Amino acid sequence: NSAAAHNYYGFVLGQTGSVDAAIDEFRTAIRIDPQYAEAFYNLGTAMVIQGEYTAAMQNLEEALALRPDFSEAQLELANALVARGEIKEAIKELQTVERMKPNVVAAHTQLGVLYSQTGATADAVVEFRRATELQAASPEAHNNLGVALDQNGDLKGAIDEFQRAIALNARFTAAIVNLAQAMRDKGDLAAAITYYRRAIALEPKSASVHADL
């Protein structure tokens, strides 16, 4: 009947989709041990899933008060802020994570996404490039960098990154489509058609790929 047992059971319940039951377990864990930062974090994360963003933020902030270096809680707090439309505040939280723990890939990735969404494409490139440096074998990281480079006007750099992503995962349809579009923008229509057809072979029911072709 320990706090750790309730916290773990809540985690298992959450993984199976029983979020309400998981929340009850996390609350029980906190009642037993009010200093249990991980239980506050798990409760906050579950409440983000439920769309209860204000309550989620309160619990995540409590987790951070108990453990100021709890980067996972800070990342989840940024997610809650984004869900509430508070993008500037979310960016500040992610920047705090970067200052404390510069090698957290998720912080660079989330910052890159937010910078892209707010038109700060040069900053997005910096963040996504750092993510590829930390996770060179991640096709998603290279694809993200390629998109940011394309948005920032570096078509050649974008093509290089899409090609790296595909080299790491030959079935990465999103990167193949992005490469096809980049080749089309470059004026290499033959290469664009080749990559579009490759994407269609992987996802024959994709209406958007057929439309582009």
Side-chain angles (χ1 to χ4, degrees):
N1 220 17
S2 68
H6 284 285
N7 182 62
Y8 179 73
Y9 186 42
F11 176 78
V12 172
L13 288 168
Q15 292 293 103
T16 60
S18 301
V19 181
D20 288 333
I23 286 172
D24 289 340
E25 293 298 324
F26 297 139
R27 284 176 170 154
T28 300
I30 291 166
R31 280 197 297 273
I32 295 170
D33 182 1
Q35 304 298 309
Y36 200 172
E38 188 176 346
F40 279 106
Y41 162 68
N42 286 334
L43 179 56
T45 300
M47 287 182 162
V48 168
I49 293 170
Q50 296 292 73
E52 299 177 29
Y53 302 121
T54 300
M57 289 170 60
Q58 291 170 349
N59 284 285
L60 293 166
E61 286 166 354
E62 186 65 34
L64 286 164
L66 293 165
R67 268 180 55 191
D69 66 340
F70 200 164
S71 58
E72 292 87 353
Q74 202 116 35
L75 291 169
E76 196 61 43
L77 180 56
N79 286 336
L81 287 163
V82 169
R84 284 165 55 100
E86 300 177 36
I87 305 302
K88 289 182 180 179
E89 289 75 11
I91 287 173
K92 289 178 184 177
E93 293 295 334
L94 294 168
Q95 289 170 335
T96 299
V97 176
E98 284 193 340
R99 284 194 298 272
M100 292 193 305
K101 296 183 179 180
N103 294 336
V104 176
V105 175
H108 293 287
T109 301
Q110 287 179 238
L111 261 178
V113 170
L114 294 181
Y115 283 142
S116 292
Q117 290 176 350
T118 56
T121 54
D123 291 329
V125 168
V126 171
E127 297 300 333
F128 286 132
R129 194 178 298 283
R130 181 60 180 147
T132 63
E133 291 167 357
L134 292 168
Q135 224 173 24
S138 167
E140 292 79 11
H142 288 285
N143 185 61
N144 288 338
L145 177 55
V147 171
L149 286 165
D150 190 20
Q151 291 174 339
N152 203 43
D154 184 356
L155 185 59
K156 181 182 181 303
I159 288 171
D160 289 344
E161 292 302 323
F162 295 141
Q163 288 174 331
R164 289 189 182 103
I166 295 165
L168 289 163
N169 180 1
R171 301 183 64 81
F172 191 0
T173 308
I176 295 169
V177 171
N178 286 337
L179 181 55
Q181 292 170 340
M183 288 299 187
R184 181 191 62 195
D185 294 341
K186 181 184 175 183
D188 190 343
L189 296 183
I193 289 170
T194 297
Y195 285 113
Y196 277 128
R197 285 176 173 164
R198 184 170 166 183
I200 288 171
L202 290 169
E203 293 189 19
K205 295 182 180 180
S206 174
S208 60
V209 177
H210 281 281
D212 282 341
L213 180 57

